[in-house]
Amino acid sequence: MGGERIRLYVPGSIMGYKRGKSNQTNHTSLIQIDGVASKPETTFYLGKRIAYIYKAKTEKKGSKYRVIWGKVTRAHGNIGAVRAKFRKNLPPISLGGRVRVMLYPSNI
Amino acid sequence: MVQELARGISAHGRSRSYKRRGIHFLKKKNNGEFPKHEKKQKTEEAPSKAPKFYPADDVKKPLKRKAVKKPTKLRASIQPGTVLILLAGRFKGKRCVFLRQQESGLLLVTGPFKVNGVPLKRVNQAYVIATSTLIDISKVDVSKFDDTYFKSTEKVEKKKSEDGFFNAQADEKKKELSPEYVENQKKVDAALLTALKPELKGYLSARFSLKKNDRPHLMAF
């Protein structure tokens, strides 16, 4: 193998929380999945698991990387954005950050 | 269907309903009379004696369960011999051959081991992408690999004493595969390899990865 990088996820960016002008619902985050530009295109990604990966100072279970798992719940708007719910709400520092949308649970 | 004006009140009158139900045909078949069936004779039950033993407390009976467990419905795209892409786990990205669905619903899959290192293993359908590549596996016999074959051996209970603690650590490191498993793998591999064309061997040994500008929702697998 020699360190070949296998990518089995689609990167996405965290746009923010579900919100109106002045109130935000922290339990739902809005994700923009790379390459998805319209609402019909998002149907493939519904239900897929999402991983928000971040680094921490202390090592836990052999790694300094930590994950918050979540899943794509529904489309958001017409331009391919998506709503996601995580096991723990995403921390506000994550806004603008990267997220990995996995290809499982798969339906192909 | 009879139109209903309200519950129990049909739109059709008595004579219309009679004609619609065709009762006159039944009567014709039965010599002008509506067919009668004899009442079933109720067999007399033997008089039950009072039980000798009553439990001291009320014993709760568990509710009857009528649900039948069926294996997960197999996707139409997954046929025996389909090449699958594993999406998670140690072998993520590897392309393997689907052999059959187990009773538990999991998919029995193999690399073949010689080609890409994927042994006979079970995989959940949700963690797999089915490609359109099909391999003829009619010559491979996989009937004896069921869920009990894959059941892990019971772990020895860890002793809480100090000596037991150190010994357990040493034991955990080595888990040797029994020679029976190695033999089975070789047999299945040999049968599969005859069905594989050389291009397919190269295909199966390569791993799948998403590249830049790949859009999985637009890809045909």
Side-chain angles (χ1 to χ4, degrees), chain A residues 1-7, chain B residues 92-94 205-209 211:
Chain A
M1 268 198 297
E4 64 174 307
R5 192 158 176 267
I6 304 292
R7 177 164 70 88
Chain B
K92 58 173 159 284
K94 297 245 178 185
S205 54
R207 300 219 308 200
F208 172 80
S209 171
K211 306 267 164 58

Side-chain angles (χ1 to χ4, degrees), chain B residues 82-112:
Chain B
T82 310
V83 173
L84 305 174
I85 302 175
L86 299 175
L87 293 174
R90 188 172 155 208
F91 301 104
K92 58 173 159 284
K94 297 245 178 185
R95 296 176 167 103
C96 51
V97 183
F98 168 62
L99 299 172
R100 69 167 215 161
Q101 185 181 30
Q102 312 275 54
E103 286 69 33
S104 60
L106 299 173
L107 311 180
L108 177 65
V109 133
T110 187

Side-chain angles (χ1 to χ4, degrees), chain A residues 13-19 24-25 28-31 90 95-96:
Chain A
S13 32
I14 303 170
M15 299 194 305
Y17 299 109
K18 171 174 173 251
R19 59 178 300 166
Q24 64 182 24
T25 345
T28 307
S29 298
L30 305 177
I31 311 281
L90 287 184
L95 298 198

Side-chain angles (χ1 to χ4, degrees), chain B residues 4-220:
Chain B
E4 272 199 337
L5 299 172
R7 202 161 128 185
I9 305 171
S10 74
H12 303 309
R14 226 184 121 108
S15 51
R16 190 96 173 269
S17 304
Y18 178 90
K19 279 187 199 165
R20 196 189 61 82
R21 283 177 65 194
I23 297 177
H24 51 291
F25 287 121
L26 284 175
K27 284 193 176 174
K28 214 178 186 184
K29 271 191 189 175
N30 212 46
N31 301 321
E33 280 180 11
F34 198 68
K36 277 187 190 173
H37 296 284
E38 271 187 31
K39 268 194 179 178
K40 273 190 199 170
Q41 291 293 333
K42 265 195 181 177
T43 50
E44 268 189 44
E45 282 173 23
S48 55
K49 292 186 198 169
K52 279 187 197 174
F53 173 71
Y54 289 98
D57 304 312
D58 276 331
V59 182
K60 277 194 176 173
K61 279 190 191 170
L63 297 171
K64 282 187 191 171
R65 285 167 194 259
K66 287 191 179 173
V68 180
K69 271 194 180 176
K70 287 190 279 183
T72 332
K73 187 172 169 202
L74 200 61
R75 267 181 253 150
S77 53
I78 303 179
Q79 304 288 333
T82 310
V83 173
L84 305 174
I85 302 175
L86 299 175
L87 293 174
R90 188 172 155 208
F91 301 104
K92 58 173 159 284
K94 297 245 178 185
R95 296 176 167 103
C96 51
V97 183
F98 168 62
L99 299 172
R100 69 167 215 161
Q101 185 181 30
Q102 312 275 54
E103 286 69 33
S104 60
L106 299 173
L107 311 180
L108 177 65
V109 133
T110 187
F113 183 76
K114 247 205 152 191
V115 176
N116 54 17
V118 179
L120 278 161
K121 81 191 260 36
R122 299 183 298 174
V123 152
N124 191 315
Q125 219 186 144
Y127 293 85
V128 135
I129 291 183
T131 62
S132 50
T133 314
L134 255 179
I135 296 176
D136 177 26
I137 61 162
S138 50
K139 302 219 173 121
V140 187
D141 175 32
V142 276
S143 47
K144 73 169 184 174
F145 304 120
D146 57 352
D147 289 306
T148 51
Y149 178 82
F150 291 99
K151 253 212 160 155
S152 58
T153 51
E154 280 178 34
K155 289 182 185 172
V156 178
E157 275 181 39
K158 287 183 187 173
K159 291 179 200 167
K160 288 205 173 176
S161 66
E162 268 191 39
D163 292 343
F165 179 68
F166 287 115
N167 287 338
Q169 278 199 324
D171 285 340
E172 267 179 52
K173 282 184 186 173
K174 271 205 172 181
K175 260 191 197 176
E176 278 187 35
L177 206 55
S178 75
E180 179 204 334
Y181 281 77
V182 180
E183 267 308 305
N184 287 332
Q185 184 69 60
K186 284 192 186 162
K187 279 186 208 162
V188 173
D189 278 358
L192 257 179
L193 285 169
T194 53
L196 282 184
K197 291 183 252 172
E199 312 98 60
L200 273 183
K201 279 190 199 156
Y203 174 65
L204 288 177
S205 54
R207 300 219 308 200
F208 172 80
S209 171
L210 287 174
K211 306 267 164 58
K212 193 174 172 183
N213 297 326
D214 272 350
R215 313 265 173 251
H217 61 279
L218 297 173
M219 286 163 75

